[in-house]
Amino acid sequence: MFTLKYDSFDKIKNSIIARVILFACVMILIGGLTRYYLSVNTIHSNLFKIISIHQEALANEAAKEITHDIDVRKTLLSHIASRMPLGLLESPSQLQRWLGELHGFNPLFSSALFVLNEEGSLIAGTGSELLEGEKAYASDDFFKRAFTHEFVIGTLKVSKRLNEPVLSMAMPIKDALGHVRAIVVGMTYYDATFFNRVLNGRIGKTGGFLLIDAKQQIFIAAANKELILKPTPPKGKNLLHDKALEGFRGSDITINTDGIEELSAIASIPNTDWFVVSRIQTKEAFAMEGNIKTTLIQAHIISLIIAPTILFLFLFFFFRPLRTSASLANKMSLGEVPLKPLPIKRMDEVGYLTVAFNRLMAMLLASQKELKEIAHYDYLTKLPNRFLMVDRLEQALARCARNNTHVALFFMDLDGFKAINDSLGHSAGDEALVEVAKRFSALIRESDTLARVGGDEFVMVLSDLDSDLASATNAAHLVARKCIEALKEPFLFQGNAKILGVSIGMAMGDKESRVDTLIVEADTKMYKAKNAIHSNFTE
């Protein structure tokens, strides 16, 4: 008897509840990891977009302020250049007073405001950063460009007097014919009214602004005053800075020269080679992302605890009837209790399964005898199959030993059967086999056996033949000829007449014979008969 024994671990390991809960945990874990990955990526992407927009807005706002600071000074210089009487160029004292009054009314240039003649010598001016003397400014490249351009912004320099950065701007003074007669120059210190956003603006705790001259590759202004007038990082130290020098404008993440990751945005200053950088460390910019990640992980851990617990309680009570039925069925299979229908608690899927099991058990008990018989008969012709034929042959040989009689064994193979199958189909072939079985059955006694052992192969066992071998052989020959004659009458299939033949191999047995030997002998003779030209019967 086949039995199964389980210890506690095996019961848990093989339990449907355990597997379902494990599957649920795996699915929750996979789902959680997927949601976490997608959520983090989406959150990071959206945060990057939002913060980038904010940084770009700050950079553009700072650029607008710087542009405004330059434009108001450019407007003042333009006003001076266009309104100043050219006669004042010949009267330095009057020009000095005129500039002083104008500068006192609108003091945009905190360092100096002055006028230079064509030779680069100071005519008149006001402020602390004035160089007096003949052709004091003549060698300055800024001075040379001022005479050939409408408006010039000079290179940032450090004041010799106050040791402060000072920025120069200049515009030519022209006569009615458009000839340059002089230039007006304004110089500005960095103070609360100039580059204020870049110098003093902060972005969070770690961020700020930079103003960079792309042509000179120096820092013009920065919240960190130590950077002013210092060269920008060499190529390769800050990849985003390298892109900015090549013309990139927008925002991206980069690693600065200190090895700190930053989110930076870049905006140009119109009509200059300058650009503004608003920057903030990504650690601060994306601080919210860390909180969201922590919250997602906590939520997934909680769901990984709560969901399997609830599922376990549900499945434990849901499968209680199934566990009861399984336990009872196991005891019945072990013979510990008699066979009886399993109890039905409720008509759900488990109830339907129990009803089906009970019905199946009743059917199996009722058809047990029938199944045993079916196992020994051919399903199509209802003749005995090979297993039952062998059993009958063994019984016939046993009677030969008791009664000193003989037995004849025929192996018969139909001739022309394949043509019927191929031309008329398998249904016609089945009809032919049934008809052949009927014709052969009519030729034998009740004590004899006719069996179908293959597709178109039949075996006939003639038992209890005469003790005299010659007489028994003659009787067997007579039956063989009858079998051949029985198939000469045409078979009708779907209006078509077909002729079948049969090749027969015969073996005679007595009390000394063995089943295997007889079968091999008859089978061999049958193949010889099938291959013979003038005979389809071999004894």
Side-chain angles (χ1 to χ4, degrees):
M1 181 179 291
F2 180 73
T3 60
L4 289 175
K5 294 184 179 180
Y6 296 107
D7 56 22
S8 299
F9 176 75
D10 288 331
K11 288 182 178 179
I12 295 174
K13 182 179 68 173
N14 297 315
S15 168
I16 294 177
I17 295 178
R19 294 180 182 181
V20 171
I21 292 175
L22 179 61
F23 176 77
C25 290
V26 171
M27 293 304 297
I28 292 172
L29 185 60
I30 293 174
L33 291 175
T34 303
R35 287 193 299 273
Y36 178 82
Y37 175 77
L38 294 177
S39 300
V40 168
N41 284 345
T42 301
I43 291 168
H44 181 80
S45 177
N46 290 336
L47 277 178
F48 174 75
K49 291 178 181 178
I50 293 171
I51 298 171
S52 294
I53 292 172
H54 180 254
Q55 289 295 103
E56 289 176 19
L58 290 176
N60 287 324
E61 193 64 30
K64 288 179 181 179
E65 286 190 12
I66 295 170
T67 302
H68 174 73
D69 289 342
I70 294 173
D71 285 346
V72 295
R73 286 164 175 78
K74 178 181 177 182
T75 301
L76 177 59
L77 293 178
S78 177
H79 177 78
I80 294 173
S82 61
R83 300 294 180 87
M84 188 183 71
L86 294 180
L88 293 179
L89 296 176
E90 306 299 330
S91 178
S93 59
Q94 292 183 16
L95 179 58
Q96 182 84 16
R97 285 194 299 273
W98 189 79
L99 289 175
E101 292 174 358
L102 189 62
H103 190 254
F105 177 75
N106 193 6
L108 293 176
F109 295 101
S110 56
S111 176
L113 178 64
F114 53 94
V115 177
L116 300 177
N117 62 20
E118 296 177 351
E119 296 177 350
S121 299
L122 177 66
I123 298 176
T126 178
S128 58
E129 297 293 330
L130 297 178
L131 298 178
E132 298 182 358
E134 186 178 353
K135 299 181 180 181
Y137 293 90
S139 61
D140 196 326
D141 181 64
F142 167 71
F143 167 77
K144 296 176 182 178
R145 289 189 295 115
F147 274 92
T148 59
H149 294 73
E150 290 298 321
F151 176 71
V152 177
I153 298 177
T155 303
L156 187 66
K157 296 182 178 180
V158 177
S159 165
K160 294 180 179 180
R161 296 189 53 166
L162 301 179
N163 198 31
E164 288 287 337
V166 61
L167 186 66
S168 302
M169 303 177 190
M171 184 171 287
I173 301 172
K174 300 180 181 180
D175 58 19
L177 297 177
H179 298 136
V180 178
R181 298 287 303 277
I183 61 171
V184 58
V185 181
M187 304 179 77
T188 304
Y189 291 127
Y190 287 6
D191 54 25
T193 61
F194 197 55
F195 298 161
N196 177 57
R197 175 69 68 96
V198 177
L199 294 171
N200 301 309
R202 301 294 299 178
I203 304 175
K205 296 179 180 179
T206 62
F209 296 90
L210 299 172
L211 179 60
I212 296 173
D213 186 333
K215 185 175 182 180
Q216 301 294 327
Q217 295 191 19
I218 61 171
F219 292 102
I220 299 174
N224 183 3
K225 305 297 190 298
E226 295 180 358
L227 292 177
I228 298 175
L229 287 177
K230 296 294 178 62
T232 57
K235 189 172 183 179
K237 287 292 185 178
N238 187 324
L239 298 182
L240 183 59
H241 174 72
D242 295 343
K243 290 171 61 177
L245 293 179
E246 294 172 358
F248 172 78
R249 298 295 179 263
S251 57
D252 205 346
I253 293 176
T254 187
I255 305 295
N256 65 22
T257 54
D258 295 325
I260 299 174
E261 188 178 71
E262 294 180 339
L263 175 60
S264 300
I266 302 162
S268 294
I269 308 297
N271 303 317
T272 68
D273 296 318
W274 303 351
F275 60 84
V276 176
V277 179
S278 62
R279 57 181 186 159
I280 185 172
Q281 292 183 13
T282 54
K283 182 178 180 181
E284 179 182 3
F286 294 101
M288 183 187 300
E289 184 178 0
N291 296 333
I292 295 174
K293 288 181 180 178
T294 301
T295 302
L296 286 174
I297 293 173
Q298 291 174 347
H300 294 155
I301 292 175
I302 292 173
S303 64
L304 196 58
I305 295 174
I306 294 178
T309 301
I310 295 175
L311 182 62
F312 170 77
L313 294 175
F314 170 76
L315 293 177
F316 182 81
F317 290 102
F318 180 80
F319 283 113
R320 178 179 288 177
L322 184 61
R323 292 198 308 275
T324 301
S325 298
S327 176
L328 182 58
N330 185 53
K331 291 180 179 179
M332 286 190 291
S333 68
L334 296 174
E336 297 177 1
V337 296
L339 294 176
K340 61 180 179 179
L342 298 175
I344 300 172
K345 298 295 184 181
R346 56 177 183 267
M347 286 307 297
D348 52 10
E349 286 82 354
V350 176
Y352 288 127
L353 179 63
T354 306
V355 169
F357 177 83
N358 291 339
R359 189 184 300 120
L360 179 62
M361 183 171 62
M363 292 172 61
L364 289 175
L365 291 174
S367 62
Q368 186 175 16
K369 182 178 179 181
E370 181 182 354
L371 289 174
K372 289 181 179 179
E373 293 178 357
I374 290 174
H376 293 88
Y377 288 87
D378 175 52
Y379 73 96
L380 179 64
T381 61
K382 309 306 179 183
L383 295 176
N385 59 18
R386 177 182 293 272
F387 300 105
L388 184 55
M389 180 274 295
V390 171
D391 181 67
R392 296 276 181 88
L393 180 58
E394 289 177 345
Q395 294 179 23
L397 289 175
R399 290 198 298 275
C400 287
R402 289 195 303 269
N403 303 325
N404 193 27
T405 56
H406 287 85
V407 63
L409 178 65
F410 292 171
F411 258 58
M412 300 183 290
D413 186 83
L414 300 180
D415 300 326
F417 177 75
K418 186 176 184 300
I420 295 176
N421 252 353
D422 293 344
S423 61
L424 301 178
H426 290 286
S427 59
D430 290 346
E431 291 181 25
L433 293 174
V434 172
E435 181 62 24
V436 168
K438 289 180 180 179
R439 295 186 186 185
F440 284 169
S441 296
L443 303 177
I444 60 175
R445 303 165 296 176
E446 291 186 2
S447 59
D448 298 330
T449 299
L450 175 63
R452 181 188 174 207
V453 297
D456 61 344
E457 293 183 347
F458 293 84
V459 172
M460 187 178 290
V461 178
L462 303 178
S463 58
D464 299 322
L465 297 179
D466 199 283
S467 59
D468 179 63
L469 178 60
S471 177
T473 302
N474 289 334
H477 286 176
L478 177 61
V479 175
R481 286 192 293 271
K482 287 182 178 181
C483 288
I484 294 172
E485 292 294 327
L487 297 186
K488 288 184 177 181
E489 182 180 350
F491 292 78
L492 294 178
F493 306 107
Q494 304 171 5
N496 298 305
K498 298 290 182 179
I499 297 296
L500 283 174
V502 62
S503 297
I504 303 175
M506 186 185 80
M508 295 298 296
D510 56 18
K511 60 183 179 180
E512 303 295 334
S513 300
R514 295 174 57 85
V515 171
D516 294 342
T517 304
L518 284 178
I519 290 176
V520 170
E521 180 183 351
D523 190 37
T524 303
K525 289 181 178 179
M526 184 270 291
Y527 278 105
K528 288 182 179 180
K530 198 168 189 66
N531 294 325
I533 298 176
H534 302 293
S535 175
N536 54 358
F537 172 60
T538 301
E539 50 179 302

